[in-house]
Amino acid sequence: MQFLLALIVAGPLLGAAAALLPAPPGLKGKSPDQAVLRHGVTVTGVILLAAIVLALGFDHDQPSRMQATTDISWIPALDVRIHLGVDGISLPLLVLTALLSFLCALYSYFKMPSGPSPKGFVALLLVLESGTLATFAVLDLVLFFLAFEMVLIPMYFLIARWGGEGKQAAAWKFILYTLLGSVVMLLGLLLIGVKAGTFDMVALAADNGRGLTTSVQVIAVLAIGVGLAVKTPMWPLHSWLPDAHTAAPTVGSVLLAGVLLKMGTYGFVRIVLPIAPDGMRIFAPYLAAFAVAGIIYGSLACLALARPGNKGDLKRLIAYSSVGHMGFVLLGIATMTPTGVNGALFANVAHGLVTGLLFFLVGAVKDRYGTADLDTLAGATGAALYGRAPRLGALLAFAAVASLGLPGLAGFWGEMLALFGAFEPAEGLSRPAFLTFMAIGAFGTLLTAAYLLLVVRRVCMGGPRPAGETPIADVQGYEFAAWTPLVALTVLAGLWPAVLLGLTDPAVQKLLAGGIR
């Protein structure tokens, strides 16, 4: 188990280095480009297999206990250690990252985004995977920061080199926002480590803030929270996200929405909640207020983009929808209750599955029509996908209703539990305030349903293909292979939420109790 976790974290880095080397003569295949793309599929496939074996070998009777741990001294002078481990909170995110990385590599093998040589693309994809996996596996504050930052450069180049229109400006905006947020976050992490005398996240969580004064906790939560809020992204620190998604290649958008945004919310749960509970309690009402503001803002922005005549971009609309969905995650965390935090963790995974699928589908529509402009897609010669590509239209409709939180699909449980958590927040938090936040969040679910159903009506519905019109391809074999796991897991998580909640709940209970249980 220790070896598996180390392989999962370090394997993609070794694969990235190998991708930059010349392919051995027997493995070149038809062309060097295909060889390196095949290498990306192989490496991500091995990492996914290792993550599945790790999940199967995980002791599901004790999900609150750190498992597969490695603890090696790295910088003795600062007491920084290479400390790895997984519990019921991090394991689902680890498997989700490995799955989406593999599906993106598989999709790229058949549909490589236009840009420079695939060598750099595959190497960046693998470095990005390694950094994300490390973020969910490390248990040292310094290592967490290094892993958190490790993903920025590869994502910057994926957008800047393989993106679409406006890619340079979007890439710069992404890197500047996240770097500035990270600088502030580093100060908060160092403050905790210096004042507590250790950077070990397990020891700090067990201490539950008892070794830190309230003023230190307040400063630390403010500093760390800013960095995490930018990555989440929380309104009003979200403005980099729509530009990045719109310009990024399809697989870049899938990874950005599916796993990178989760790094911010995971940091709130793993670091802020257990290590600085008194500081978090002071800021929780403000975090909840920003969360529900993001829910309403994201929904209204999507409604504006979906309205006829507004020249709304479908990728941009899905990006704004992420601001709203991540608002529910932040609301659940702000309640500081097991119900709310479990809802936040469930919504994290559900958003990764559903929004990852949505970006795959929107990318496929854009490839076929040459545009993601809603007015063009819904025009007289537009998509009407039910009549022109029925399987593609059905999948888009499925992903949309999953995203709006239809009961029985993954999107429902996380948002419901976050609202339930707001109904009865933790002791010391204002219940009237959180009841107000709950009501605003519930209204946001209605707005979410409105814009997603409007998108389905405009893009999918319409008459059959007119005679003489050039047909478009329906779902291809490689697309079916890349999308089917996301569809299946969306249904499984919706019908059997205990798959996730059985893992997260004991770990959350222990985390909020300061490691006592």
Side-chain angles (χ1 to χ4, degrees):
M1 293 283 281
Q2 289 175 311
F3 171 77
L4 275 177
L5 186 57
L7 172 66
I8 289 168
V9 172
L13 270 184
L14 299 176
L20 298 174
L21 299 174
L27 298 178
K28 283 186 177 179
K30 294 180 180 179
S31 73
D33 286 352
Q34 286 300 103
V36 75
L37 290 170
R38 188 167 58 249
H39 171 78
V41 176
T42 303
V43 173
T44 54
V46 169
I47 299 304
L48 174 59
L49 182 62
I52 292 172
V53 173
L54 180 71
L56 292 174
F58 186 82
D59 185 355
H60 291 260
D61 292 329
Q62 295 184 331
S64 62
R65 181 174 62 86
M66 281 295 171
Q67 302 180 37
T69 54
T70 298
D71 193 0
I72 303 169
S73 178
W74 185 36
I75 307 176
L78 299 177
D79 194 27
V80 176
R81 309 183 68 80
I82 298 177
H83 192 182
L84 307 176
V86 290
D87 64 357
I89 292 171
S90 53
L91 182 64
L93 293 170
L94 209 71
V95 176
L96 175 67
T97 301
L99 173 65
L100 286 177
S101 299
F102 170 70
L103 296 181
C104 286
L106 180 65
Y107 188 85
S108 300
Y109 178 78
F110 295 96
K111 190 71 178 178
M112 171 70 193
S114 58
S117 164
K119 271 194 174 188
F121 177 82
V122 170
L124 290 169
L125 202 65
L126 292 173
V127 172
L128 182 68
E129 180 185 21
S130 181
T132 312
L133 290 168
T135 302
F136 300 136
V138 298
L139 297 172
D140 183 278
L141 290 179
V142 175
L143 278 186
F144 176 85
F145 175 78
L146 294 177
F148 198 86
E149 294 302 285
M150 184 176 166
V151 304
L152 301 185
I153 300 303
M155 181 53 73
Y156 167 81
F157 281 109
L158 285 175
I159 296 172
R161 303 299 300 277
W162 286 271
E165 185 180 352
K167 58 187 180 182
Q168 294 293 340
W172 272 109
K173 196 171 186 179
F174 162 76
I175 198 76
L176 288 175
Y177 262 77
T178 48
L179 275 178
L180 288 173
S182 297
V183 169
V184 181
M185 184 178 76
L186 177 60
L187 297 176
L189 295 175
L190 292 176
L191 176 65
I192 287 177
V194 170
K195 293 295 184 181
T198 180
F199 290 100
D200 187 86
M201 290 158 65
V202 176
L204 288 166
D207 187 62
N208 204 220
R210 287 182 284 270
L212 301 171
T213 65
T214 301
S215 58
V216 168
Q217 290 190 38
V218 168
I219 296 170
V221 170
L222 181 60
I224 297 170
V226 168
L228 298 175
V230 170
K231 184 65 71 73
T232 298
M234 181 186 77
W235 180 91
L237 303 174
H238 69 283
S239 62
W240 62 268
L241 183 71
D243 292 339
H245 270 309
T246 305
T250 296
V251 294
S253 292
V254 171
L255 291 174
L256 184 57
V259 293
L260 262 69
L261 303 190
K262 313 303 174 284
M263 294 164 63
T265 51
Y266 174 78
F268 275 109
V269 175
R270 178 65 74 196
I271 297 173
V272 178
L273 273 177
I275 295 176
D278 294 338
M280 180 64 185
R281 195 169 286 108
I282 290 172
F283 283 107
Y286 302 101
L287 179 63
F290 283 124
V292 295
I295 294 171
I296 300 301
Y297 172 84
S299 299
L300 291 177
C302 290
L303 275 173
L305 289 170
R307 193 172 297 128
N310 282 4
K311 305 293 287 182
D313 185 281
L314 191 51
K315 282 190 77 175
R316 196 172 188 85
L317 184 146
I318 303 302
Y320 272 110
S321 78
S322 291
V323 177
H325 288 306
M326 297 312 287
F328 283 102
V329 177
L330 290 171
L331 176 61
I333 293 170
T335 67
M336 299 183 70
T337 62
T339 302
V341 176
N342 275 305
L345 293 171
F346 197 102
N348 252 351
V349 175
H351 180 265
L353 296 172
V354 176
T355 308
L357 177 60
L358 274 171
F359 275 116
F360 268 134
L361 293 166
V362 173
V365 171
K366 187 174 182 178
D367 287 338
R368 286 158 171 77
Y369 285 95
T371 181
D373 179 71
L374 268 169
D375 288 338
T376 302
L377 294 176
T381 59
L385 288 178
Y386 289 155
R388 291 168 171 80
R391 287 189 289 274
L392 184 59
L395 280 171
L396 184 60
F398 168 84
V401 296
S403 184
L404 64 83
L406 183 74
L409 297 176
F412 171 72
W413 295 106
E415 295 181 3
M416 184 192 73
L417 289 172
L419 294 175
F420 277 3
F423 182 76
E424 194 71 54
E427 185 179 351
L429 299 179
S430 169
R431 191 172 184 227
F434 274 84
L435 286 174
T436 304
F437 299 145
M438 183 193 73
I440 297 172
F443 178 65
T445 62
L446 300 178
L447 295 178
T448 302
Y451 72 74
L452 285 169
L453 292 176
L454 181 58
V455 167
V456 170
R457 182 176 68 81
R458 296 192 68 201
V459 176
C460 295
M461 296 182 181
R465 179 169 59 87
E469 183 183 87
T470 305
I472 66 167
D474 209 337
V475 178
Q476 304 293 296
Y478 71 92
E479 294 173 329
F480 184 79
W483 303 342
T484 298
L486 300 179
V487 173
L489 290 172
T490 298
V491 175
L492 175 64
L495 295 178
W496 194 16
V499 171
L500 279 177
L501 295 176
L503 282 172
T504 61
D505 185 53
V508 167
Q509 297 274 2
K510 180 179 178 180
L511 204 68
L512 293 178
I516 296 172
R517 299 181 187 180

